[in-house]
Amino acid sequence: MRIVLLGPPGAGKGTQALLLKERFNIPHISTGEIFREEIEKNTKLGLKIKEYVSKGLLVPDNIVIEVVRKRLSQPDCSKGWILDGFPRTVAQARALEDLLKEIGQHLDVVIYLEVPEEEAVKRLLSRGRGDDRICTLKRRFKEYLEKTSSLVDFYKKRNLLIMINGVGSIEEVHSRIIKELRKLKLYEE
Ligand code: AMP
């Protein structure tokens, strides 16, 4: 199973990704997490991207695409994966298409988690990650609206998109996702 999780900051992508990872036994790839680790370890890449992440700005496409290319080429990704937080721009989405063609894989489904901004902000503020302060949050939402939200149409056109109501308990949202995956015959118990 090859899944992209899409949605505004605070929609619950990371949380749902972990449940899907357990159910399907496939790696969860979060570009945000990869970046935070690189920053923590003070690597060359970490230093390059630190400013963007701390300000709530998107890291330039070429850097992100290279990171994902490397990760998806690792052996544990051969049977499937969950991408969380990538793609975030149309250029990234196109690069993903090219990359998958190149390595002979295809995307099964894009799960869009719908959560009203008010609820998302509430969740983010209670999480308290370094880039969750209110001014940085505002910028992350702006980046989302300007650069990422058009991916909804991008994937609708490709018939890959399912919309999931992201409001409710973690288990409720997970069940909604599983129900849709069953409908699409992507999953049988
Ligand atoms: P996340 O953990 O997905 O909320 O990402 C945290 C931060 O990492 C974002 O605010 C961006 O600065 C950066 N980031 C993560 N994924 C991407 C991406 N696909 N494109 C650009 N920047 C990204």
Side-chain angles (χ1 to χ4, degrees), residues 16-34:
Q16 293 302 325
L18 288 178
L19 292 179
L20 292 169
K21 168 191 162 143
E22 267 170 34
R23 191 176 281 243
F24 297 118
N25 201 19
I26 46 177
H28 162 217
I29 303 167
S30 153
T31 41
E33 238 166 60
I34 295 174

Side-chain angles (χ1 to χ4, degrees), residues 31-32 35-36 53 57-59 64 85-86 88 92 129 131:
T31 41
F35 292 153
R36 281 187 291 279
V53 175
L57 296 171
L58 291 190
V59 171
V64 191
F86 179 93
R88 260 178 158 102
Q92 290 179 17
R129 206 170 71 193
D131 57 346

